[in-house]
Amino acid sequence: MVHRYWLFKSEPSAYSYDDLVRDGIAEWDGVRNFQARNLLRDEIKEGDEVLFYHSTVKPMAVIGTAVVVRSGYPDYTAWDQNSDHPDPKSSPDSPVWYMVDIQSQKRFQEPLTLDMLRRVVDLKDMMLLRKGSRLSVQPVTKEEWDAVHRLAHQVDS
């Protein structure tokens, strides 16, 4: 089975990499964008690997990696009116939103900032680095995954 690679964005004030390490396994819930939902529902599978990215902070950066431990399933927080992101159009009988479960894998010794990533030639086409790219769940190619890990190794040395 071929594993795929992804980048998940999270605001650390909402859910940080430290939270994931503490929790062990976490539901990646609350995504309310149809394109990202489709990836969570149809494309992201158990065993896929994830770059965990802290957004809306200074500096924005890839903090570490995670692994998907449960493929897409209905995001029940959508039909929980007490959740942080309810959606009255979603129900157990007709779910609109989906989530996956992830587990922390490796924290990079140093965060890989957006500026650092932009200087890597092999990342020039990475979705994260495109102007206007705001999707919270993004595909990452094997080449991009490897380039990010090479950069992490250089920074750690």
Side-chain angles (χ1 to χ4, degrees), residues 52-96:
F52 196 107
Y53 182 81
H54 280 177
S55 63
T56 67
V57 292
K58 291 190 180 181
M60 293 185 282
V62 175
I63 302 302
T65 63
V67 62
V68 177
V69 295
R70 183 176 177 191
S71 300
Y73 62 100
D75 182 347
Y76 61 83
T77 66
W79 55 77
D80 177 358
Q81 294 308 306
N82 296 319
S83 80
D84 291 336
H85 23 71
D87 182 350
K89 294 179 186 140
S90 187
S91 70
D93 295 330
S94 183
V96 175

